[in-house]
Amino acid sequence: MVKFLRTAVRYFIFFVLGTIVKYKYNEIKRMVENNLFSTSIILAFIGVTIFLETRAIQSYYYRLVFQTIQSFSGVLFIFMFFEKNQKWCSHETKVGRALQYVGKRTLDIYLIHYFFLPSNLLMLGKFFTDYPNPTVEFFVSMFLALLVLSLCLVTSNLLRCSDFLTEWLFGRKKEI
C-alpha cells in the first residue's frame, strides 16, 4: 500500500504541474524563452540524472528530493523542446501530423498497449542490468516502444470499424 501511495504521489506531481502550466501558460512560456532559465533546466536535468545513476543514495528523503527535481526539470525540458520547435511539430509537417494523430489516440493506446507488451521484459531488464550499455538499451527501448505503438494504432483502427466498440471502449459516438 505504501509503494502504491508513493507512486501515486509521484504521478500527482505531474498532474499538478500540468494544471499550473495550463493556467499560467504565458508566464511559463516567457520563462522558457529566457536563455538562462532554459540552460539551467537542461543542466539540472542532466546533472541530477547523472548524479542519481552514479551514486547510491541511502537516504529516502534525499532520493525523493533528487527524483522530484529530476521529474520537474524533465517535464519542463520536454515542454521547452516542443515550445521551441512548434514549426517542426505543426500540422503542416509529416512529423507534426504523426504526433498529433498519436496524441488524439492516447486513450486508445493507453487501453490497448498492455496486450502488446513483450512478456519477457524482466529478462531484458536483467540482461541490461548485467551488461549495461545505455546506447543499445536506448535503441532497443525505442524499437519496442514504436512497435507497441504501431500495434496499438492498428488495433485501434480495427476496433473503430465497429460503432458499438468505438462508443463502448473509447466513449466516442460516430459523427453523422
Side-chain angles (χ1 to χ4, degrees):
M1 182 67 175
V2 172
K3 187 175 181 180
F4 169 75
L5 288 175
R6 243 186 275 157
T7 304
V9 168
R10 284 180 58 196
Y11 291 138
F12 178 74
I13 291 171
F14 292 109
F15 287 110
V16 169
L17 187 60
T19 304
I20 291 170
V21 168
K22 179 181 177 184
Y23 289 107
K24 299 290 185 182
Y25 178 78
N26 290 330
E27 290 88 348
I28 293 175
K29 184 177 175 184
R30 243 188 331 272
M31 286 173 31
V32 166
E33 289 171 352
N34 181 333
N35 197 26
L36 179 61
F37 181 80
S38 300
T39 305
S40 300
I41 291 298
I42 293 169
L43 291 177
F45 178 74
I46 293 171
V48 170
T49 301
I50 290 171
F51 182 78
L52 284 171
E53 291 297 321
T54 59
R55 303 275 189 261
I57 302 172
Q58 300 301 323
S59 169
Y60 172 74
Y61 172 75
Y62 287 121
R63 180 164 274 296
L64 182 66
V65 168
F66 280 114
Q67 286 175 339
T68 304
I69 293 169
Q70 182 187 35
S71 298
F72 276 116
S73 60
V75 168
L76 284 172
F77 187 31
I78 298 298
F79 178 77
M80 286 184 325
F81 174 79
F82 284 105
E83 192 62 39
K84 292 186 178 204
N85 294 296
Q86 281 184 357
K87 290 179 185 171
W88 180 67
C89 298
S90 72
H91 199 61
E92 286 80 38
T93 64
K94 285 184 179 184
V95 173
R97 284 191 297 274
L99 288 173
Q100 288 179 9
Y101 181 73
V102 169
K104 289 177 185 172
R105 296 292 172 103
T106 52
L107 175 62
D108 304 26
I109 295 164
Y110 180 74
L111 291 173
I112 299 170
H113 83 279
Y114 177 78
F115 299 105
F116 295 112
L117 291 176
S119 60
N120 57 353
L121 281 178
L122 289 176
M123 183 186 72
L124 188 63
K126 180 164 176 25
F127 174 79
F128 283 120
T129 301
D130 295 340
Y131 306 101
N133 186 334
T135 306
V136 173
E137 186 175 350
F138 172 78
F139 284 110
V140 168
S141 299
M142 285 295 110
F143 172 75
L144 287 175
L146 291 173
L147 180 66
V148 169
L149 176 67
S150 301
L151 291 170
C152 288
L153 291 174
V154 167
T155 304
S156 168
N157 285 331
L158 291 173
L159 290 172
R160 285 176 179 269
C161 290
S162 164
D163 294 340
F164 172 76
L165 288 177
T166 301
E167 185 174 353
W168 188 67
L169 291 173
F170 310 121
R172 288 274 166 110
K173 291 185 180 183
K174 187 173 183 177
E175 296 175 11
I176 300 172

